[in-house]
Amino acid sequence: MITLSKKEMLLVSFMLFSMFFGAGNLIFPPYLGQEAGTNVWLSIVGFVLSAVGLPILGVIAIAKAGSFYQLASRVHPSFALIFPILIYVSIGPALAIPRAGSLAYEMGMAPFLPAQAADSTWSLFLYTIVFFGIVFWFSLTPSKLIDRFGKILTPALLTMIALIYIKSLFTPLGPTGIPAGNYATNPVVQGFLDGYLTMDALAALVFGIVIANTLRSKGIEDKKQLSTNMIKAGLGAGMLLTFIYVILGLLGSSGASLGRPENGGLLLTAIMRQLFGTSGTLILGVIFTVACLCVSIGLVTSCSQYFHGRFSRLSYNKWAVILCVLSMGVANLGLSEILSVSVPILGAIYPIAIVLILLALLERWIPEHSSVYMMTVAVVTVFGVVDLMNLTFFNKSWNDILGVLPFYKEGAGWIMPALFAGFVGILLDFRKRTNRTRTGPTTSSSK
């Protein structure tokens, strides 16, 4: 039996961390910190529960189930074909990868260009050609990701962020602000909902295939050992993510004197200028570029491996080309357009992923072929579609009806329907067992 050394396990955890840690992970915690003010610790707790807890549980769920496809198959074979593709498209060329490319331009290149050039569509186009060319080159050799991520990119990211925090201790940014909006009334809940936007719970379902293949390349083939090592990697990555989120959240909470920027990216820019002067923009640009490259490479690799496995007529390299070209095209729509589309779509998809993850972790009490899977996922899917239509097509005109559901105003109206559907699924399982018990003796006597 092959056992990974502590160093090898650390490198795998570093690799998973760098695949998770993209642009969204940089911009959301500081903004949360500033908006939460004195409630920053409560908001960080909520944020960590969803932005760290759910992704790590997702890695554990995939490790236990064997693969994303096997987990989705517990609902229905058709669902196992459709939902993973929907997730891979959303987390891949439709939203996450283009968002990373566009944000890398906004934070890593645009600040150094003349105003007219920065706003030019040609500048973004040329930048994304270079950006996705680099992503494609790294994606061609998935077996080398552990060395490139674990030994180079992740340590570089961690070192730069640690230096920023150390600098803030010697150059205080200012007092902690007053909580605003939902951060004043429901800081934990609002922090939890902010964690949705990182998309990492969805990414966990996607990255499972890369982590599993990486471990197999190290000679680990035993299913139980593979699962154990995936869980260890997930926990290691989770600890690193938590550490970074706390640092970024505390930095944001000390930025009350910097005004109220529209987003976390602008807030981070203001913080870096306060700490490092004009060179702060350059440091932040490097951090954003490295983070966006890491997550894009990880996603292109994951999606290419998945689509090659499902549609093997095209090679892995051809899928990587397709995904990079599509992502580049969507990235050129601009960051604002991508973000405006991503929020309602994530609101519809995320609850389904959460339900799948939680049910997989309850396999001791809920068997693989339980009716709970189909009932719960079906109800949450219907709710997600209805809520998506309400937000995008009907201008929230159904809010009075949907608002009857507990937690709907907080953005988690799917919870009670999911619990009710799960209870119905349990009753259906009980009825099936009862019918089998009744028909059992009759079948035996007839023989």
Side-chain angles (χ1 to χ4, degrees):
M1 180 179 292
I2 297 175
T3 303
L4 293 183
S5 66
K6 291 182 180 180
K7 180 181 178 180
E8 288 176 319
M9 196 69 252
L10 181 64
L11 290 177
V12 175
S13 296
F14 273 12
M15 183 183 79
L16 182 58
F17 162 80
S18 61
M19 290 166 67
F20 275 131
F21 193 74
N25 308 75
L26 273 168
I27 64 176
F28 296 129
Y31 185 78
L32 173 149
Q34 188 183 56
E35 293 294 300
T38 54
N39 285 339
V40 62
W41 281 105
L42 291 173
S43 296
I44 286 177
V45 167
F47 188 84
V48 168
L49 284 174
S50 60
V52 178
L54 289 176
I56 302 315
L57 291 178
V59 172
I60 295 173
I62 295 299
K64 286 180 171 292
S67 69
F68 188 12
Y69 177 80
Q70 289 174 303
L71 176 58
S73 295
R74 297 179 181 183
V75 179
H76 192 274
S78 297
F79 179 82
L81 291 174
I82 297 172
F83 187 66
I85 292 177
L86 180 63
I87 291 292
Y88 276 96
V89 170
S90 298
I91 202 74
L95 294 176
I97 302 176
R99 184 179 75 175
S102 182
L103 194 51
Y105 172 77
E106 295 285 348
M107 302 301 299
M109 177 58 70
F112 308 102
L113 297 175
Q116 186 174 359
D119 294 333
S120 169
T121 55
W122 279 106
S123 297
L124 176 60
F125 178 70
L126 293 174
Y127 179 87
T128 52
I129 290 178
V130 176
F131 181 89
F132 286 105
I134 295 172
V135 170
F136 173 70
W137 182 76
F138 273 95
S139 301
L140 289 178
T141 52
S143 60
K144 295 182 180 180
L145 290 185
I146 188 171
D147 291 325
R148 289 167 174 168
F149 281 8
K151 294 180 180 179
I152 302 173
L153 297 179
T154 301
L157 269 177
L158 293 175
T159 300
M160 286 188 285
I161 293 173
L163 288 175
I164 292 170
Y165 183 66
I166 293 171
K167 174 65 174 175
S168 72
L169 296 178
F170 294 96
T171 310
L173 292 168
T176 303
I178 300 172
N182 289 336
Y183 296 96
T185 54
N186 297 298
V188 177
V189 174
Q190 186 58 46
F192 186 89
L193 295 176
D194 286 345
Y196 270 28
L197 299 177
T198 64
M199 293 201 264
D200 282 347
L202 301 182
L205 301 175
V206 170
F207 290 151
I209 186 173
V210 176
I211 301 302
N213 288 340
T214 299
L215 293 171
R216 289 190 183 102
S217 70
K218 297 291 181 181
I220 297 176
E221 296 290 346
D222 179 72
K223 184 178 179 181
K224 185 176 181 180
Q225 194 182 10
L226 195 65
S227 174
T228 300
N229 282 284
M230 285 180 67
I231 292 172
K232 287 181 180 179
L235 294 174
M239 292 174 64
L240 290 172
L241 287 169
T242 301
F243 173 71
I244 296 300
Y245 291 153
V246 170
I247 287 178
L248 293 174
L250 292 177
L251 282 174
S253 70
S254 301
S257 61
L258 301 175
R260 291 283 182 181
E262 294 180 5
N263 56 60
L266 295 176
L267 175 60
L268 266 179
T269 301
I271 290 173
M272 293 297 289
R273 285 176 180 167
Q274 181 87 354
L275 292 175
F276 298 96
T278 54
S279 60
T281 305
L282 177 60
I283 298 171
L284 187 61
V286 173
I287 292 174
F288 264 94
T289 302
V290 173
C292 290
L293 279 172
C294 285
V295 76
S296 297
I297 294 164
L299 287 170
V300 168
T301 302
S302 302
C303 294
S304 298
Q305 289 181 347
Y306 172 77
F307 285 117
H308 173 57
R310 298 297 302 163
F311 310 101
S312 56
R313 287 187 178 182
L314 293 180
S315 66
Y316 168 87
N317 288 354
K318 289 181 179 178
W319 276 114
V321 171
I322 292 171
L323 292 171
C324 286
V325 171
L326 288 176
S327 298
M328 186 183 74
V330 177
N332 277 272
L333 296 176
L335 182 60
S336 298
E337 289 293 329
I338 296 170
L339 292 177
S340 65
V341 172
S342 65
V343 172
I345 292 177
L346 289 177
I349 296 176
Y350 231 83
I352 304 173
I354 293 173
V355 165
L356 268 180
I357 290 169
L358 295 179
L359 289 177
L361 299 175
L362 296 173
E363 62 181 4
R364 181 177 298 181
W365 301 277
I366 302 175
E368 293 184 14
H369 302 293
S370 171
S371 299
V372 174
Y373 276 93
M374 180 177 288
M375 290 299 302
T376 308
V377 169
V379 168
V380 171
T381 300
V382 171
F383 174 85
V385 171
V386 170
D387 194 36
L388 180 63
M389 293 174 63
N390 177 46
L391 293 174
T392 55
F393 300 112
F394 295 99
N395 197 27
K396 301 181 181 180
S397 60
W398 297 350
N399 275 11
D400 291 338
I401 300 173
L402 296 174
V404 176
L405 294 169
F407 311 117
Y408 182 76
K409 292 180 181 178
E410 289 78 16
W414 58 270
I415 292 178
M416 289 307 295
L419 291 174
F420 176 76
F423 179 70
V424 172
I426 292 172
L427 292 180
L428 290 174
D429 286 345
F430 178 75
R431 183 179 178 182
K432 289 178 182 177
R433 288 194 298 270
T434 303
N435 289 339
R436 283 198 296 267
T437 303
R438 288 176 178 174
T439 57
T442 305
T443 304
S444 299
S445 60
S446 65
K447 289 182 179 180

